[in-house]
Amino acid sequence: MGRKVRSICCIGAGYVGGPTCAVIANKNPDIKVTVVDLNQQRIDAWNSSQLPIFEPGLQEIVEVPRDGDSKSNRPKNLFFSTNVGETVAEADLIFISVNTPTKTLGHGAGKASDLAYVEAAARTIAEVATTDKIVVEKSTVPAGTARDLREIFASLARPGVRFDILSNPEFLAEGTAIRDLLAPDRVLIGSLKDAKSLEAAEALAEVYQAWVPKERILKIDLWSSELAKLA
């Protein structure tokens, strides 16, 4: 019996995290999906009728799992919150979907991605996790970021807590994000090749298989997946 995802946390309620998790929640009514962000205004907007971003079809995709549907007995399973620590602690799988702006200072200024938010998210996960977690890179990050995350988890994790890191790059275009999410030409999941990592990749693949044909979900190695987004 493989790993089963029952609770998902997405750190970052921006352009990628919000729509991606809305579709996941919409298509997986048995999975609790919570999107967390420190920006109270943004979370309030996601919980209102005026969403913080406009994408055709997004409103309907959000409302079904966020508000539930009494006619079909559809439960609420999409939540937006500023309670990062508690949500991370209870999740089986955590998407890191924070901003990776271009560096303005230091080495690589004007070219390289600033990973400060990604690293801060990883530190938060390491500090609050008391059970094993699947951690998924969703932000656009340089190839090799998973290795850096592993170092953070190795130095901060509690004894006996395991973190499996996956790469699951997004390929969304503005204006067609919901269409891209509902009918992707492929979903990439990158992992290491040990048994536990492959099990984690399969657990994420099962989440997508709720609506994506199995043959479009490609499981590849971690480095190739990180590289695919940049290439």
Side-chain angles (χ1 to χ4, degrees):
M1 181 71 180
R3 291 165 85 164
K4 186 86 180 138
V5 175
R6 300 187 192 286
S7 177
I8 291 174
C9 167
C10 176
I11 302 177
Y15 186 81
V16 174
T20 300
C21 284
V23 170
I24 286 174
N26 190 295
K27 299 295 184 182
N28 288 277
D30 56 329
I31 297 177
K32 180 182 180 184
V33 181
T34 308
V35 182
V36 294
D37 201 290
L38 295 175
N39 184 327
Q40 183 71 58
Q41 209 174 346
R42 187 181 290 167
I43 291 299
D44 289 345
W46 279 111
N47 280 319
S48 75
S49 57
Q50 296 292 312
L51 301 183
I53 60 175
F54 175 76
E55 276 293 329
L58 177 61
Q59 191 81 33
E60 297 80 356
I61 287 287
V62 168
E63 283 176 356
V64 171
R66 186 194 68 187
D67 304 337
D69 181 5
S70 54
K71 286 182 196 157
S72 64
N73 285 330
R74 160 85 198 217
K76 296 180 187 182
N77 69 313
L78 176 63
F79 305 90
F80 296 93
S81 169
T82 53
N83 194 340
V84 179
E86 193 178 301
T87 308
V88 165
E90 73 166 31
D92 308 312
L93 184 148
I94 302 156
F95 286 109
I96 296 181
S97 192
V98 294
N99 283 344
T100 49
T102 303
K103 276 181 155 184
T104 54
L105 297 169
H107 184 64
K111 296 178 194 163
S113 296
D114 184 345
L115 296 181
Y117 296 118
V118 172
E119 289 167 358
R123 281 195 293 275
T124 299
I125 294 167
E127 283 160 9
V128 303
T130 56
T131 56
D132 295 355
K133 307 291 180 193
I134 299 170
V135 180
V136 185
E137 296 174 343
K138 202 74 183 152
S139 304
T140 300
V141 293
T145 300
R147 185 187 55 230
D148 299 339
L149 294 183
R150 272 199 305 279
E151 287 174 7
I152 291 172
F153 292 134
S155 63
L156 296 178
R158 295 170 200 234
V161 176
R162 178 186 170 93
F163 296 92
D164 289 296
I165 300 168
L166 304 177
S167 166
N168 176 218
E170 53 82 19
F171 300 98
L172 304 180
E174 211 162 311
T176 62
I178 296 304
R179 197 171 73 205
D180 298 339
L181 284 163
L182 289 175
D185 55 3
R186 77 275 195 226
V187 173
L188 291 186
I189 299 175
S191 73
L192 295 177
K193 293 304 173 195
D194 62 279
K196 282 280 193 188
S197 298
L198 292 171
E199 215 177 65
E202 185 55 41
L204 178 57
E206 278 183 23
V207 172
Y208 282 111
Q209 276 165 223
W211 79 98
V212 181
K214 203 169 182 176
E215 62 273 12
R216 291 195 193 171
I217 301 170
L218 308 179
K219 285 177 271 189
I220 58 178
D221 71 82
L222 204 47
W223 176 265
S224 300
S225 181
E226 288 182 329
L227 208 54
K229 170 66 179 177
L230 303 175

